[in-house]
Amino acid sequence: MTNDLSSLCPICGEGHLQPRIGRSPVEYKGQTSEVEFHSSVCDACESEQLDAAQLRANKRAMVAFKKQVDGLLSGAEVRALREKLGLSQADAAKVFGGGPVAFSKYESDDVAQSEAMDKLLRLAAEIPAAFEVLTHRVDDGSVATSMEWEEVRGWSVEISSESSTKRPQLRVVSSSTSVGEPHWSNAA
Ligand SMILES: [Zn+2]
């Protein structure tokens, strides 16, 4: 409705704001295009005004255009990918990082995901084993997955029978991943 009080023009106080969607030329990294431009025009004084929702819509259109130029997944593509993986937005943030509202922002084009996040999402979608590793890290809440621990243990057994020159390197790995497994470097 355009004749209620909320659409009364705050500039002339007589006309009413009529929302409209036009096109606005944009340019990013040498590429030009047109995106939707949301605004309202007073039917009396003809002044053009933007409310918060229109400003947000225009910003999203620009972010979407930048994502396209940068070769990043669109907001809709991020949503489809997340749903394909069976994750809520909150769970997706736990698995991939970015903060609790990250996926809401990616999917509504409020912000562009980083190139690193974009690659991680594509990797998880294409390689089930990669996605499994990421979800496992969330499940047990630790830095190292159980799969990694098996590798570390196997490696230590193998190396302990060889020369002692590799032991310092072994200790570095241990201190960076282990809190509660102090005995493994002695495994034989
Ligand atoms: Zn007016």
Side-chain angles (χ1 to χ4, degrees), residues 82 87-104 106-107 117 120-121 138:
R82 174 180 60 75
L87 297 172
S88 67
Q89 289 183 334
D91 284 344
K94 286 182 193 164
V95 171
F96 298 107
V101 294
F103 279 78
S104 164
Y106 300 154
E107 292 172 16
M117 174 62 82
L120 190 63
L121 291 172
V138 174

Side-chain angles (χ1 to χ4, degrees), residues 9 11-15 42-47 49:
C9 175
I11 293 179
C12 67
E14 292 179 5
C42 174
D43 55 16
C45 71
E46 295 188 347
S47 64
Q49 299 165 50

